[in-house]
Structure formats: C-alpha cells, structure tokens
C-alpha cells in the first residue's frame, strides 16, 4: 500500500481488486470511450498485478495493471480524479513493482493523446501509431 498526499494505492491480484478495477475501467473505457465491453476484459487480468488508487473518502479513482512480461496496461483515471496526480502515482507504483521483479524495462501501448503524460515520466515512443478498439495508440517504453 502506498500513500500520497491525496490518495492511497493498493496493489494485489485480480481477486482482491477486481470489483474496484472493473468499476473504473468500465466507466472510463466502455462508457466514456465506447470500447466494446468484450474487448475491455481479457484473460490476462487473472495473471496481472493490479493497482487501484482511492481518494481521501475511499472512493476508487484510478487503476492500472502490470503483466508478467513487464507490460503496463489498462491505465484509467475517472474524470473526478484527473489532474490530481493519481495517474502518475499509479504509473510509478507499477514501474517500481516491475523493477522489483527484476525487469530491465517496461512497455505500454498508450492512447496517442496520453503520450505526453508518459513522456513526462520518462517513456519514449517506440514505433508508429496504430489503432486498437478504434482509438489511436502508440507503443512506448522505459528502460531502468
């Protein structure tokens, strides 16, 4: 568990965090961004380390996951939590977990509009833009 000024981040497996992670991911990806629900949930959730951020009231506001291969994914912050630093805090927790596992780098597929956010955290663009679920993405990487 990690505490920052305005939120607490819990890490755990899918069993422990799925209710809160699903709530955030459905709100952001399915409702807000119109990603089909069947594309949002996948079989990888069961083998990932998940992180969920909670605000001072204990409301889940952000989530992300770390796959066994060092890929960070499903980063999402609810509208009420955007701009509060919660996304950066989640990213840093997931990166630290990858590093603790011995990973030499982490990779992610960012929605293209979010690339500057990841660049501010040291990620570099790797390759050309592509579309996933109808949304422009770009692969990015960070080497420890």
């Amino acid at each position: 568990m990690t505490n920052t000024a305005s939120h607490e981040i819990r890490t755990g497996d899918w069993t422990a965090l799925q209710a809160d992670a699903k709530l955030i991911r459905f709100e952001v990806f399915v409702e807000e961004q119109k990603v089909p629900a069947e594309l949002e949930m996948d079989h990888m959730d069961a083998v990932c380390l998940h992180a969920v951020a909670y605000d001072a009231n204990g409301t889940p506001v952000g989530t992300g996951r770390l796959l066994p291969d060092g890929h960070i994914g499903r980063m999402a912050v609810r509208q009420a939590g955007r701009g509060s630093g919660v996304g950066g805090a989640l990213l840093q927790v997931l990166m630290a977990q990858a590093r603790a596992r011995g990973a030499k780098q982490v990779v992610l597929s960012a929605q293209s509009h979010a690339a500057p956010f990841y660049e501010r955290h040291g990620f570099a663009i790797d390759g050309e833009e592509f579309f996933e679920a109808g949304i422009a993405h770009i692969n990015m990487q960070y080497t420890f």
Side-chain angles (χ1 to χ4, degrees), residues 35-106:
V35 171
E38 60 274 12
L39 293 180
E40 166 42 30
M41 292 295 150
D42 65 19
H43 67 284
M44 295 305 294
D45 279 321
V47 299
C48 289
L49 174 76
H50 295 268
V52 175
Y54 299 85
D55 68 13
N57 298 319
T59 303
V61 293
T63 190
R65 72 182 189 183
L66 176 65
L67 282 78
D69 66 0
H71 189 109
I72 292 173
R74 301 302 199 270
M75 290 279 299
V77 176
R78 299 168 89 180
Q79 279 188 316
R82 292 180 194 155
S84 69
V86 70
L90 279 163
L91 182 61
Q92 293 300 318
V93 165
L94 292 169
M95 290 170 69
Q97 291 287 332
R99 192 172 194 168
R101 289 182 181 175
K104 301 291 182 227
Q105 73 171 7
V106 286

